[in-house]
Structures are given as structure tokens and as C-alpha cells.
Amino acid sequence: MAELVLGSARRTNRRIRVAGSAAIVAAVLLAVLLVPPLVQLDQQAVDLAARLQPPSWEHPFGTDDVGRDLLLRCVYGLRVSLLVGIVAGLTATVIGTAVGALAAAFGGWTDRIVMRLVDTFSSVPHLLLGIFIVAMFRPGVGPVIVSVALTHWLSTARIVRSEVLSLRSRPFIDAAISGGASRGRVVVRHLLPAVLPQAGLAAVLMVPHAMWHESALSFLGLGLPTHQASLGNLVQTARGSLLAGDWWPTLFPGLFLIIPTLALAGLAGAWRERINPRRRSELML
């Protein structure tokens, strides 16, 4: 009886967490889609008379060090970070899925060479390799997306390769090969559709990871131009204000980064438990 009650309580808590995460993600999407077209933001505007005002009815999140409304800049910054996370996450997932599926499907020396390349890239820290890539371009959204995408496909490649290797021993794959299907046809018609749920989950998990890397690059001054609103830039420019006792320029951009990424991670965790409840930790990136 106690186990039934405990199991029911866990399911209820899980549903509450999923509902809360979905509500936060929906609110974030509405904010980044509706606010910028309705309220234009001059990225280079300066109003020194209103600088570093604390939160108030006029400015719910206060103002930054040059008098700009912090709530509006946080929304614009979240839009940029979310754009980078989604595009880079999808790109990295496509690359990793293609590499992992082809390596496992062809096997032999192809698999060995590809996985040695994956191990070589994995030996270099993601952030260090990302800094090297963005340093070759002018600051902007494009180089950050390229940097994050090219440094985050490795985990997906390993996951997809593992899944494809397990699928290769299934009877329906043997039947397709016995029926004369080529390796390419087996990959496209049978193996890739079977790993799409895992690849989709990897893409969702990649989005918050990519958002944090974009913020780290911008914080280091290697991401977006300093005048353009991004969460990393907002935190970076607020360091001096924090030392002076003005807490709001650092707190609110940090919350705008932490809360949406935790919500996305919560939805991805629920998806992971649904598609593969016995291996909950396998897809942690």
C-alpha cells in the first residue's frame, strides 16, 4: 500500500514539474516572439539621467549602466540566446546523427576512423575549441552558431552510433539485407527512422547547453558585439555595477538564462523517461 501511495505521489510530482516546465517554455516563446515586434529597442541608446535605477513600476527590472530598460534588454537577449541554442542544437544534432549512423552502418575501418576522429575532437575542451573558432571571425550571431554546432555534435554521434549498432542485429534489418537492400537504403529506410526519437531528444537537450555556451562566449567578449543585447553580454557589462552594490543588472539576466534552460531540461527529462525509462542517464550531454 505504501509503495502505491509513494508511486502515485511521484507521478503527481512529475506531472507538476512537466506542467510547470511547459508553462515556462510557452511564456518564453511568447515573450521572444511578441515583445520585439511590439516594442522596438535601440541597442545603442544612452540615457545617463536614468542609469542604474532600481526596479520600479516604470522599469520592473530597473535600468542598466547607461539607462536602458533592463526588462526589455533581457527579452531581446533571451531571443538571441534562444536563437543560437535552437539553430546550433539542431545543426549539431544533424551532424552527429549523420556521422554516428554512417559509422555504425558501414562498420569496419570506416567506423574505426570516424570514432577515432570523434575521440580526437572530444579530447579538446568544448569551450577552448569554441573560442578558437569564434576568434577567426568578427563578433556576431553566425560565428557563435558555427562554433557551438561544430563543438557539440560528438555526444550525439556516440549515442546514435550505439543505437544503430544495437539495431543492426535486429531480424528486420537482416530481412532487409537478405531482400537485396543496399546499405544506404537500410540506413535511410530503417535505421534513421528508428533513431529519430533519440536524436530529437538529443536536440532538445542541446538547446540549453548551447545557450550556456553562447552566454559564456559573449561573457568573454568573443560572442556578440558588446552593444547587442545577449544574456552573456548583459552579465558581463553588469560586473562593475555588482561590485558597486547594484544587484539587479546581474540578477535578472542570470535568471533569464537559468530558468528557461532548467525548464527545457525538465521537458527533455520527461521525454527521456517516456522513450527509454530503463536508461534515464544515457542521453545526458
Side-chain angles (χ1 to χ4, degrees), residues 6-196:
L6 182 59
S8 177
R10 289 176 177 174
R11 287 191 295 269
T12 301
N13 290 336
R14 188 181 301 115
R15 285 194 293 267
I16 293 174
R17 290 197 304 269
V18 171
S21 299
I24 292 173
V25 172
V28 166
L29 292 177
L30 287 176
V32 300
L33 290 176
L34 297 181
V35 171
L38 296 176
V39 184
Q40 297 297 317
L41 173 65
D42 185 357
Q43 301 278 9
Q44 300 184 6
V46 175
D47 184 8
L48 297 180
R51 67 184 300 268
L52 293 176
Q53 291 184 359
S56 62
W57 287 110
E58 183 180 1
H59 302 288
F61 286 3
T63 59
D64 63 6
D65 58 342
V66 293
R68 293 169 294 194
D69 183 78
L70 195 58
L71 173 58
L72 191 57
R73 284 182 61 80
C74 284
V75 173
Y76 271 77
L78 180 59
R79 183 181 65 165
V80 172
S81 297
L82 195 61
L83 172 65
V84 172
I86 292 175
V87 177
L90 290 176
T91 304
T93 301
V94 170
I95 296 173
T97 301
V99 171
L102 291 177
F106 285 89
W109 62 268
T110 302
D111 185 29
R112 290 192 292 271
I113 292 176
V114 169
M115 296 316 297
R116 295 297 77 76
L117 289 175
V118 170
D119 293 337
T120 301
F121 279 106
S122 298
S123 64
V124 182
H126 287 172
L127 186 58
L128 181 61
L129 185 57
I131 291 174
F132 174 77
I133 294 174
V134 297
M136 297 187 296
F137 303 94
R138 297 181 62 182
V141 175
V144 174
I145 292 175
V146 172
S147 170
V148 175
L150 292 182
T151 56
H152 287 75
W153 59 270
L154 307 171
S155 299
T156 305
R158 287 197 179 97
I159 293 167
V160 172
R161 175 181 176 270
S162 176
E163 291 295 322
V164 172
L165 287 176
S166 66
L167 290 170
R168 284 177 55 184
S169 60
R170 302 289 179 84
F172 72 93
I173 299 296
D174 294 334
I177 296 175
S178 300
S182 63
R183 287 188 177 182
R185 183 177 177 84
V186 169
V187 171
V188 174
R189 293 293 301 273
H190 300 286
L191 296 179
L192 282 180
V195 300
L196 280 181

Side-chain angles (χ1 to χ4, degrees), residues 261-284:
T261 53
L262 288 179
L264 286 170
L267 292 179
W271 186 0
R272 181 177 63 239
E273 293 178 7
R274 176 177 289 274
I275 67 174
N276 205 347
R278 294 184 179 180
R279 293 152 66 184
R280 295 181 179 179
S281 62
E282 180 180 343
L283 296 179
M284 295 299 292

Side-chain angles (χ1 to χ4, degrees), residues 221-235:
L222 298 170
L224 275 67
T226 54
H227 70 273
Q228 186 172 353
S230 77
L231 298 179
N233 279 342
L234 293 178
V235 175

